[in-house]
mmCIF file of all heavy atoms in Angstrom:
data_model
loop_
_atom_site.group_PDB
_atom_site.id
_atom_site.type_symbol
_atom_site.label_atom_id
_atom_site.label_comp_id
_atom_site.label_asym_id
_atom_site.label_seq_id
_atom_site.Cartn_x
_atom_site.Cartn_y
_atom_site.Cartn_z
ATOM 1 N N ILE A 1 95.426 104.017 123.737
ATOM 2 C CA ILE A 1 94.565 104.819 124.618
ATOM 3 C C ILE A 1 93.215 104.114 124.765
ATOM 4 O O ILE A 1 92.566 103.795 123.770
ATOM 5 C CB ILE A 1 94.339 106.236 124.038
ATOM 6 C CG1 ILE A 1 95.675 106.926 123.727
ATOM 7 C CG2 ILE A 1 93.499 107.088 124.979
ATOM 8 C CD1 ILE A 1 96.579 107.133 124.908
ATOM 9 N N PHE A 2 92.806 103.867 126.016
ATOM 10 C CA PHE A 2 91.492 103.253 126.290
ATOM 11 C C PHE A 2 90.571 104.302 126.904
ATOM 12 O O PHE A 2 91.007 105.212 127.597
ATOM 13 C CB PHE A 2 91.637 102.084 127.261
ATOM 14 C CG PHE A 2 92.373 100.906 126.682
ATOM 15 C CD1 PHE A 2 93.737 100.762 126.887
ATOM 16 C CD2 PHE A 2 91.701 99.963 125.924
ATOM 17 C CE1 PHE A 2 94.424 99.689 126.351
ATOM 18 C CE2 PHE A 2 92.387 98.881 125.385
ATOM 19 C CZ PHE A 2 93.745 98.740 125.599
ATOM 20 N N THR A 3 89.273 104.143 126.652
ATOM 21 C CA THR A 3 88.276 105.047 127.233
ATOM 22 C C THR A 3 87.203 104.241 127.961
ATOM 23 O O THR A 3 87.201 103.012 127.921
ATOM 24 C CB THR A 3 87.603 105.889 126.132
ATOM 25 O OG1 THR A 3 86.849 105.008 125.281
ATOM 26 C CG2 THR A 3 88.618 106.636 125.298
ATOM 27 N N GLU A 4 86.286 104.946 128.607
ATOM 28 C CA GLU A 4 85.206 104.275 129.337
ATOM 29 C C GLU A 4 84.321 103.444 128.411
ATOM 30 O O GLU A 4 83.728 102.455 128.805
ATOM 31 C CB GLU A 4 84.354 105.311 130.076
ATOM 32 C CG GLU A 4 85.071 105.920 131.271
ATOM 33 C CD GLU A 4 84.213 106.926 132.005
ATOM 34 O OE1 GLU A 4 83.014 107.033 131.681
ATOM 35 O OE2 GLU A 4 84.743 107.590 132.918
ATOM 36 N N ASN A 5 84.226 103.856 127.160
ATOM 37 C CA ASN A 5 83.422 103.107 126.188
ATOM 38 C C ASN A 5 84.155 101.877 125.659
ATOM 39 O O ASN A 5 83.657 101.181 124.790
ATOM 40 C CB ASN A 5 83.053 104.005 125.000
ATOM 41 C CG ASN A 5 82.182 105.156 125.431
ATOM 42 O OD1 ASN A 5 81.469 105.055 126.425
ATOM 43 N ND2 ASN A 5 82.241 106.252 124.702
ATOM 44 N N LYS A 6 85.356 101.626 126.189
ATOM 45 C CA LYS A 6 86.209 100.494 125.806
ATOM 46 C C LYS A 6 86.627 100.542 124.329
ATOM 47 O O LYS A 6 86.963 99.537 123.738
ATOM 48 C CB LYS A 6 85.509 99.163 126.124
ATOM 49 C CG LYS A 6 85.330 98.956 127.623
ATOM 50 C CD LYS A 6 84.765 97.593 127.943
ATOM 51 C CE LYS A 6 84.656 97.405 129.459
ATOM 52 N NZ LYS A 6 84.034 96.137 129.826
ATOM 53 N N LEU A 7 86.534 101.735 123.761
ATOM 54 C CA LEU A 7 87.087 101.920 122.424
ATOM 55 C C LEU A 7 88.568 102.267 122.595
ATOM 56 O O LEU A 7 88.933 102.935 123.549
ATOM 57 C CB LEU A 7 86.386 103.072 121.705
ATOM 58 C CG LEU A 7 84.944 102.815 121.262
ATOM 59 C CD1 LEU A 7 84.311 104.108 120.801
ATOM 60 C CD2 LEU A 7 84.904 101.805 120.127
ATOM 61 N N SER A 8 89.372 101.781 121.715
ATOM 62 C CA SER A 8 90.801 102.079 121.850
ATOM 63 C C SER A 8 91.358 102.583 120.528
ATOM 64 O O SER A 8 90.844 102.275 119.456
ATOM 65 C CB SER A 8 91.571 100.840 122.292
ATOM 66 O OG SER A 8 91.700 99.928 121.229
ATOM 67 N N CYS A 9 92.426 103.359 120.628
ATOM 68 C CA CYS A 9 93.144 103.774 119.421
ATOM 69 C C CYS A 9 94.607 103.971 119.796
ATOM 70 O O CYS A 9 94.959 104.021 120.984
ATOM 71 C CB CYS A 9 92.535 105.029 118.815
ATOM 72 S SG CYS A 9 92.851 106.521 119.757
ATOM 73 N N LEU A 10 95.450 104.064 118.797
ATOM 74 C CA LEU A 10 96.880 104.258 119.009
ATOM 75 C C LEU A 10 97.263 105.669 118.597
ATOM 76 O O LEU A 10 96.821 106.156 117.546
ATOM 77 C CB LEU A 10 97.680 103.240 118.194
ATOM 78 C CG LEU A 10 97.470 101.767 118.561
ATOM 79 C CD1 LEU A 10 98.107 100.868 117.513
ATOM 80 C CD2 LEU A 10 98.048 101.446 119.917
ATOM 81 N N VAL A 11 98.088 106.325 119.403
ATOM 82 C CA VAL A 11 98.490 107.705 119.101
ATOM 83 C C VAL A 11 100.007 107.862 119.244
ATOM 84 O O VAL A 11 100.640 107.122 119.993
ATOM 85 C CB VAL A 11 97.790 108.724 120.033
ATOM 86 C CG1 VAL A 11 96.285 108.677 119.855
ATOM 87 C CG2 VAL A 11 98.159 108.487 121.500
ATOM 88 N N VAL A 12 100.555 108.832 118.496
ATOM 89 C CA VAL A 12 101.998 109.104 118.603
ATOM 90 C C VAL A 12 102.267 110.576 118.301
ATOM 91 O O VAL A 12 101.592 111.196 117.489
ATOM 92 C CB VAL A 12 102.807 108.198 117.643
ATOM 93 C CG1 VAL A 12 102.613 108.603 116.190
ATOM 94 C CG2 VAL A 12 104.280 108.183 118.000
ATOM 95 N N ASN A 13 103.263 111.110 119.011
ATOM 96 C CA ASN A 13 103.708 112.486 118.795
ATOM 97 C C ASN A 13 104.769 112.493 117.688
ATOM 98 O O ASN A 13 105.811 111.853 117.825
ATOM 99 C CB ASN A 13 104.296 113.027 120.107
ATOM 100 C CG ASN A 13 104.711 114.477 120.011
ATOM 101 O OD1 ASN A 13 104.789 115.044 118.929
ATOM 102 N ND2 ASN A 13 104.985 115.080 121.147
ATOM 103 N N MET A 14 104.489 113.200 116.593
ATOM 104 C CA MET A 14 105.396 113.218 115.441
ATOM 105 C C MET A 14 106.261 114.483 115.383
ATOM 106 O O MET A 14 106.995 114.681 114.414
ATOM 107 C CB MET A 14 104.592 113.113 114.142
ATOM 108 C CG MET A 14 103.818 111.828 113.989
ATOM 109 S SD MET A 14 102.583 111.908 112.660
ATOM 110 C CE MET A 14 103.593 112.262 111.234
ATOM 111 N N SER A 15 106.177 115.327 116.409
ATOM 112 C CA SER A 15 106.859 116.628 116.342
ATOM 113 C C SER A 15 108.376 116.511 116.438
ATOM 114 O O SER A 15 109.107 117.387 115.982
ATOM 115 C CB SER A 15 106.349 117.547 117.453
ATOM 116 O OG SER A 15 106.647 117.003 118.725
ATOM 117 N N ASN A 16 108.867 115.421 117.037
ATOM 118 C CA ASN A 16 110.318 115.255 117.199
ATOM 119 C C ASN A 16 110.693 113.800 116.897
ATOM 120 O O ASN A 16 111.037 113.038 117.789
ATOM 121 C CB ASN A 16 110.715 115.630 118.642
ATOM 122 C CG ASN A 16 112.209 115.666 118.816
ATOM 123 O OD1 ASN A 16 112.950 115.931 117.880
ATOM 124 N ND2 ASN A 16 112.663 115.364 120.020
ATOM 125 N N PRO A 17 110.610 113.392 115.619
ATOM 126 C CA PRO A 17 110.803 111.975 115.278
ATOM 127 C C PRO A 17 112.255 111.515 115.408
ATOM 128 O O PRO A 17 113.189 112.290 115.212
ATOM 129 C CB PRO A 17 110.343 111.902 113.823
ATOM 130 C CG PRO A 17 110.555 113.273 113.293
ATOM 131 C CD PRO A 17 110.342 114.216 114.434
ATOM 132 N N TYR A 18 112.421 110.237 115.728
ATOM 133 C CA TYR A 18 113.745 109.602 115.780
ATOM 134 C C TYR A 18 113.827 108.606 114.624
ATOM 135 O O TYR A 18 112.857 107.906 114.331
ATOM 136 C CB TYR A 18 113.954 108.896 117.126
ATOM 137 C CG TYR A 18 113.957 109.869 118.276
ATOM 138 C CD1 TYR A 18 112.768 110.229 118.914
ATOM 139 C CD2 TYR A 18 115.142 110.461 118.714
ATOM 140 C CE1 TYR A 18 112.762 111.149 119.954
ATOM 141 C CE2 TYR A 18 115.139 111.382 119.756
ATOM 142 C CZ TYR A 18 113.956 111.716 120.367
ATOM 143 O OH TYR A 18 113.946 112.633 121.388
ATOM 144 N N ILE A 19 114.976 108.563 113.972
ATOM 145 C CA ILE A 19 115.124 107.745 112.769
ATOM 146 C C ILE A 19 115.976 106.513 113.065
ATOM 147 O O ILE A 19 117.041 106.614 113.666
ATOM 148 C CB ILE A 19 115.797 108.551 111.628
ATOM 149 C CG1 ILE A 19 115.042 109.847 111.358
ATOM 150 C CG2 ILE A 19 115.906 107.707 110.361
ATOM 151 C CD1 ILE A 19 113.630 109.703 110.907
ATOM 152 N N LEU A 20 115.479 105.356 112.629
ATOM 153 C CA LEU A 20 116.228 104.107 112.751
ATOM 154 C C LEU A 20 116.372 103.510 111.358
ATOM 155 O O LEU A 20 115.376 103.170 110.712
ATOM 156 C CB LEU A 20 115.480 103.141 113.675
ATOM 157 C CG LEU A 20 116.143 101.790 113.964
ATOM 158 C CD1 LEU A 20 117.477 101.971 114.685
ATOM 159 C CD2 LEU A 20 115.229 100.911 114.799
ATOM 160 N N ASN A 21 117.611 103.408 110.863
ATOM 161 C CA ASN A 21 117.849 102.811 109.543
ATOM 162 C C ASN A 21 118.094 101.313 109.685
ATOM 163 O O ASN A 21 119.083 100.894 110.294
ATOM 164 C CB ASN A 21 119.065 103.469 108.875
ATOM 165 C CG ASN A 21 118.729 104.806 108.264
ATOM 166 O OD1 ASN A 21 117.683 104.965 107.642
ATOM 167 N ND2 ASN A 21 119.601 105.779 108.448
ATOM 168 N N LEU A 22 117.195 100.510 109.116
ATOM 169 C CA LEU A 22 117.326 99.051 109.196
ATOM 170 C C LEU A 22 118.201 98.582 108.027
ATOM 171 O O LEU A 22 117.721 98.026 107.042
ATOM 172 C CB LEU A 22 115.937 98.398 109.141
ATOM 173 C CG LEU A 22 114.911 98.937 110.150
ATOM 174 C CD1 LEU A 22 113.560 98.268 109.956
ATOM 175 C CD2 LEU A 22 115.392 98.730 111.585
ATOM 176 N N ASP A 23 119.510 98.806 108.157
ATOM 177 C CA ASP A 23 120.394 98.608 106.999
ATOM 178 C C ASP A 23 121.583 97.685 107.271
ATOM 179 O O ASP A 23 122.602 97.766 106.592
ATOM 180 C CB ASP A 23 120.897 99.959 106.498
ATOM 181 C CG ASP A 23 121.683 100.720 107.555
ATOM 182 O OD1 ASP A 23 121.736 100.242 108.698
ATOM 183 O OD2 ASP A 23 122.249 101.777 107.241
ATOM 184 N N LEU A 24 121.445 96.813 108.264
ATOM 185 C CA LEU A 24 122.565 95.927 108.585
ATOM 186 C C LEU A 24 122.896 94.981 107.422
ATOM 187 O O LEU A 24 124.027 94.511 107.292
ATOM 188 C CB LEU A 24 122.264 95.121 109.851
ATOM 189 C CG LEU A 24 123.468 94.448 110.522
ATOM 190 C CD1 LEU A 24 124.495 95.472 110.972
ATOM 191 C CD2 LEU A 24 123.038 93.606 111.697
ATOM 192 N N GLU A 25 121.892 94.704 106.571
ATOM 193 C CA GLU A 25 122.123 93.830 105.415
ATOM 194 C C GLU A 25 123.200 94.385 104.486
ATOM 195 O O GLU A 25 123.839 93.632 103.749
ATOM 196 C CB GLU A 25 120.833 93.639 104.601
ATOM 197 C CG GLU A 25 119.789 92.781 105.272
ATOM 198 C CD GLU A 25 118.794 93.597 106.083
ATOM 199 O OE1 GLU A 25 119.166 94.714 106.502
ATOM 200 O OE2 GLU A 25 117.670 93.123 106.299
ATOM 201 N N ASN A 26 123.418 95.717 104.537
ATOM 202 C CA ASN A 26 124.454 96.329 103.690
ATOM 203 C C ASN A 26 125.847 95.821 104.052
ATOM 204 O O ASN A 26 126.728 95.740 103.206
ATOM 205 C CB ASN A 26 124.461 97.855 103.863
ATOM 206 C CG ASN A 26 123.152 98.474 103.431
ATOM 207 O OD1 ASN A 26 122.307 97.801 102.854
ATOM 208 N ND2 ASN A 26 122.969 99.738 103.717
ATOM 209 N N ILE A 27 126.028 95.507 105.338
ATOM 210 C CA ILE A 27 127.343 95.085 105.828
ATOM 211 C C ILE A 27 127.553 93.585 105.642
ATOM 212 O O ILE A 27 128.650 93.132 105.351
ATOM 213 C CB ILE A 27 127.508 95.482 107.320
ATOM 214 C CG1 ILE A 27 127.380 97.008 107.464
ATOM 215 C CG2 ILE A 27 128.841 95.023 107.878
ATOM 216 C CD1 ILE A 27 127.105 97.462 108.875
ATOM 217 N N LEU A 28 126.457 92.812 105.809
ATOM 218 C CA LEU A 28 126.562 91.352 105.690
ATOM 219 C C LEU A 28 126.859 90.923 104.263
ATOM 220 O O LEU A 28 126.320 91.482 103.317
ATOM 221 C CB LEU A 28 125.265 90.690 106.162
ATOM 222 C CG LEU A 28 124.916 90.816 107.643
ATOM 223 C CD1 LEU A 28 123.538 90.246 107.904
ATOM 224 C CD2 LEU A 28 125.944 90.098 108.513
ATOM 225 N N LYS A 29 127.698 89.917 104.127
ATOM 226 C CA LYS A 29 128.006 89.360 102.799
ATOM 227 C C LYS A 29 127.555 87.901 102.740
ATOM 228 O O LYS A 29 127.256 87.293 103.761
ATOM 229 C CB LYS A 29 129.514 89.473 102.528
ATOM 230 C CG LYS A 29 129.994 90.910 102.422
ATOM 231 C CD LYS A 29 131.474 90.996 102.102
ATOM 232 C CE LYS A 29 131.929 92.446 102.011
ATOM 233 N NZ LYS A 29 133.363 92.553 101.711
ATOM 234 N N GLU A 30 127.486 87.369 101.545
ATOM 235 C CA GLU A 30 127.130 85.954 101.379
ATOM 236 C C GLU A 30 128.249 85.080 101.959
ATOM 237 O O GLU A 30 129.407 85.466 101.904
ATOM 238 C CB GLU A 30 126.927 85.618 99.889
ATOM 239 C CG GLU A 30 125.785 86.379 99.227
ATOM 240 C CD GLU A 30 124.404 86.033 99.789
ATOM 241 O OE1 GLU A 30 124.309 85.122 100.636
ATOM 242 O OE2 GLU A 30 123.442 86.689 99.389
ATOM 243 N N PRO A 31 127.918 83.912 102.544
ATOM 244 C CA PRO A 31 126.598 83.264 102.628
ATOM 245 C C PRO A 31 125.755 83.737 103.819
ATOM 246 O O PRO A 31 124.631 83.308 103.992
ATOM 247 C CB PRO A 31 126.948 81.796 102.787
ATOM 248 C CG PRO A 31 128.238 81.816 103.553
ATOM 249 C CD PRO A 31 128.978 83.045 103.092
ATOM 250 N N PHE A 32 126.297 84.652 104.657
ATOM 251 C CA PHE A 32 125.571 85.092 105.864
ATOM 252 C C PHE A 32 124.303 85.867 105.510
ATOM 253 O O PHE A 32 123.294 85.775 106.194
ATOM 254 C CB PHE A 32 126.476 85.958 106.747
ATOM 255 C CG PHE A 32 127.784 85.289 107.075
ATOM 256 C CD1 PHE A 32 128.971 85.752 106.526
ATOM 257 C CD2 PHE A 32 127.829 84.194 107.916
ATOM 258 C CE1 PHE A 32 130.169 85.133 106.823
ATOM 259 C CE2 PHE A 32 129.032 83.571 108.209
ATOM 260 C CZ PHE A 32 130.201 84.037 107.653
ATOM 261 N N LYS A 33 124.368 86.635 104.414
ATOM 262 C CA LYS A 33 123.248 87.484 104.014
ATOM 263 C C LYS A 33 121.977 86.675 103.742
ATOM 264 O O LYS A 33 120.864 87.139 103.988
ATOM 265 C CB LYS A 33 123.647 88.270 102.769
ATOM 266 C CG LYS A 33 122.840 89.531 102.549
ATOM 267 C CD LYS A 33 123.428 90.348 101.419
ATOM 268 C CE LYS A 33 122.696 91.668 101.278
ATOM 269 N NZ LYS A 33 123.298 92.522 100.251
ATOM 270 N N SER A 34 122.135 85.449 103.223
ATOM 271 C CA SER A 34 120.984 84.596 102.869
ATOM 272 C C SER A 34 120.678 83.533 103.921
ATOM 273 O O SER A 34 119.749 82.749 103.749
ATOM 274 C CB SER A 34 121.242 83.916 101.518
ATOM 275 O OG SER A 34 121.510 84.878 100.532
ATOM 276 N N ASN A 35 121.455 83.516 104.995
ATOM 277 C CA ASN A 35 121.266 82.498 106.031
ATOM 278 C C ASN A 35 119.998 82.790 106.839
ATOM 279 O O ASN A 35 119.854 83.857 107.433
ATOM 280 C CB ASN A 35 122.501 82.482 106.944
ATOM 281 C CG ASN A 35 122.468 81.332 107.920
ATOM 282 O OD1 ASN A 35 121.537 81.192 108.704
ATOM 283 N ND2 ASN A 35 123.502 80.516 107.881
ATOM 284 N N LEU A 36 119.058 81.836 106.872
ATOM 285 C CA LEU A 36 117.757 82.041 107.536
ATOM 286 C C LEU A 36 117.897 82.282 109.033
ATOM 287 O O LEU A 36 117.171 83.085 109.613
ATOM 288 C CB LEU A 36 116.841 80.837 107.289
ATOM 289 C CG LEU A 36 116.143 80.797 105.923
ATOM 290 C CD1 LEU A 36 115.367 79.510 105.754
ATOM 291 C CD2 LEU A 36 115.211 81.991 105.741
ATOM 292 N N LYS A 37 118.843 81.575 109.672
ATOM 293 C CA LYS A 37 119.050 81.752 111.123
ATOM 294 C C LYS A 37 119.503 83.183 111.425
ATOM 295 O O LYS A 37 119.044 83.802 112.385
ATOM 296 C CB LYS A 37 120.094 80.749 111.638
ATOM 297 C CG LYS A 37 119.559 79.336 111.786
ATOM 298 C CD LYS A 37 120.596 78.428 112.407
ATOM 299 C CE LYS A 37 120.037 77.013 112.593
ATOM 300 N NZ LYS A 37 121.064 76.104 113.161
ATOM 301 N N ILE A 38 120.402 83.685 110.597
ATOM 302 C CA ILE A 38 120.898 85.058 110.786
ATOM 303 C C ILE A 38 119.786 86.059 110.503
ATOM 304 O O ILE A 38 119.618 87.039 111.236
ATOM 305 C CB ILE A 38 122.130 85.322 109.886
ATOM 306 C CG1 ILE A 38 123.316 84.501 110.392
ATOM 307 C CG2 ILE A 38 122.498 86.816 109.866
ATOM 308 C CD1 ILE A 38 124.541 84.544 109.524
ATOM 309 N N LYS A 39 118.991 85.794 109.464
ATOM 310 C CA LYS A 39 117.857 86.685 109.125
ATOM 311 C C LYS A 39 116.859 86.767 110.280
ATOM 312 O O LYS A 39 116.403 87.839 110.658
ATOM 313 C CB LYS A 39 117.149 86.173 107.864
ATOM 314 C CG LYS A 39 117.820 86.573 106.566
ATOM 315 C CD LYS A 39 116.970 86.133 105.389
ATOM 316 C CE LYS A 39 117.530 86.664 104.082
ATOM 317 N NZ LYS A 39 116.693 86.276 102.920
ATOM 318 N N ASN A 40 116.507 85.595 110.850
ATOM 319 C CA ASN A 40 115.557 85.559 111.977
ATOM 320 C C ASN A 40 116.124 86.239 113.211
ATOM 321 O O ASN A 40 115.405 86.937 113.941
ATOM 322 C CB ASN A 40 115.174 84.106 112.308
ATOM 323 C CG ASN A 40 114.308 83.486 111.218
ATOM 324 O OD1 ASN A 40 113.562 84.196 110.546
ATOM 325 N ND2 ASN A 40 114.403 82.188 111.032
#
């Protein structure tokens, strides 16, 4: 959010949150789990 004073801040509505589980590593097995290209 920008204002006339050029101050800015970030805002978010938390009343109805959406959940994202970053858990793909659970499925990956070695050697893919430690592979830097796959991680990136």
Side-chain angles (χ1 to χ4, degrees):
I1 306 299
F2 292 95
T3 66
E4 288 181 8
N5 296 334
K6 294 186 178 176
L7 289 170
S8 74
C9 72
L10 297 169
V11 298
V12 71
N13 183 347
M14 297 166 59
S15 63
N16 188 28
Y18 296 88
I19 306 298
L20 182 62
N21 281 318
L22 308 177
D23 60 354
L24 196 61
E25 289 93 335
N26 298 351
I27 300 162
L28 294 174
K29 295 182 180 180
E30 298 295 355
F32 307 110
K33 202 172 185 176
S34 304
N35 188 302
L36 281 175
K37 284 185 178 178
I38 291 174
K39 278 185 173 182
N40 290 330

